[in-house]
Amino acid sequence: MSRNILIINTGGTLSSVMKESGLAPGLSTQDMKRELHVVSGDINFEIEDFMAVDSANIFPEDWSKLAEHIGGIRNDYDGIVVIHGTDTLAYTSSMLSFMLQNINIPVVITGSQLSITNPIADAMENLRCAIHMAASGRAGVFVAFNRKVMLGCRASKVRSLSFDAFESINYPNVAEISSLGMNIDDSTIPVRNGVFHLENNYSTEVCMLKMFPGIHRSLVESIAAQGYKGLYIEAFGIGGMPFLKHDFISTIEKVIADGMTVVVGTQCRYEGSKMDVYETGKRALESGVLQAQDMTSEAALTKLMWILGKTNNPTEIKDYFSLNIAGELKNY
């Protein structure tokens, strides 16, 4: 039986054209209709222009509106494909994973490194993969890129120019395409544990900070003074932060005592944090920080924004952050 798919265009490189100021979104989904028919096969699809922006210009309010839109039409289609710029795609896919709780259809986000108008672009293959994953009947939020499918909350852009721009971090690919077709590993797809409910509230009072040798604690004090409620820190190695000379950790302890939520992860792309090994990590844990474990930075940051949009209660925040909501976190 033929599947009915909705393709939502938000812009990005895939739908870009050359303008005087450089590449910018300019193609509508109607402009791409012929190419979309080529890759869709016998799958029925509708197309819709949601917005047309470079993904650097996508903001949290756009995530909320997109989640609300998808939630409202989810029963009208067998699956949804979202065309998106690659630069912030992993942030969008992570946040949609949290906002679209127990979504009952596949929502597949894709983009490309070259415009669909370029004859050697990766756009067609990425769209083909996304459309057929959207028609697979596997519910959840996914990213399709370079003939592979990843969980939305595990995808991260790891290359700036290569067609193999995205990888699934600390988690197997959901599906891969080869000469044998699309092979989907169902064991990698989180099981729905309830009915769909939209949870698209969020907090923008969240900041990200990357550790570097010589970082001064006044940066944290400044962030707290500006009224931020949450801070995600990419720490050294498996989660270490300094406590000698510029005593960074004591400042973290102070801002936590004053009501800020501080989450600590690692600058390392793979394998996650483990802060109970070294003194530099143990002291941070004792100060009250939450640990990102094996989450991507994109997932950890958006999860913090999402949680702080739900509650300001420290106990509830801690409980939510330790909970594996969409496959973003191993069950520790």
Side-chain angles (χ1 to χ4, degrees), residues 82-211:
V82 178
I83 296 173
H84 195 289
T86 61
D87 287 350
T88 63
L89 186 153
Y91 291 96
T92 297
S93 65
S94 292
M95 186 58 105
L96 289 182
S97 299
F98 303 129
M99 288 183 167
L100 298 173
Q101 290 287 298
N102 290 308
I103 187 74
N104 58 319
I105 61 170
V107 177
V108 189
I109 305 158
T110 193
S112 67
Q113 296 286 70
L114 281 175
S115 168
I116 198 170
T117 60
N118 192 313
I120 60 170
D122 55 334
M124 295 285 278
E125 281 305 320
N126 292 343
L127 280 168
R128 187 195 313 275
C129 183
I131 290 170
H132 287 272
M133 184 64 192
S136 71
R138 272 71 168 192
V141 177
F142 308 98
V143 170
F145 221 90
N146 198 40
R147 302 192 178 192
K148 58 190 177 187
V149 179
M150 298 150 271
L151 275 188
C153 55
R154 288 289 185 167
S156 186
K157 189 174 183 181
V158 298
R159 298 177 185 87
S160 60
L161 298 174
S162 170
F163 284 168
D164 193 19
F166 286 82
E167 289 185 6
S168 181
I169 306 301
N170 299 324
Y171 200 81
N173 290 329
V174 170
E176 296 180 359
I177 294 177
S178 69
S179 60
L180 299 177
M182 177 181 282
N183 179 37
I184 300 175
D185 183 354
D186 287 305
S187 68
T188 64
I189 301 176
V191 178
R192 293 177 66 209
N193 57 13
V195 299
F196 170 78
H197 49 107
L198 177 69
E199 295 198 11
N200 62 334
N201 292 329
Y202 60 90
S203 171
T204 57
E205 296 172 322
V206 173
C207 188
M208 179 187 288
L209 186 63
K210 184 171 184 175
M211 299 292 300

Side-chain angles (χ1 to χ4, degrees), residues 242-259:
F243 59 85
L244 299 176
K245 298 182 181 178
H246 302 302
D247 190 353
F248 199 82
I249 293 178
S250 67
T251 304
I252 293 295
E253 185 173 17
K254 180 180 182 302
V255 298
I256 290 173
D258 290 340

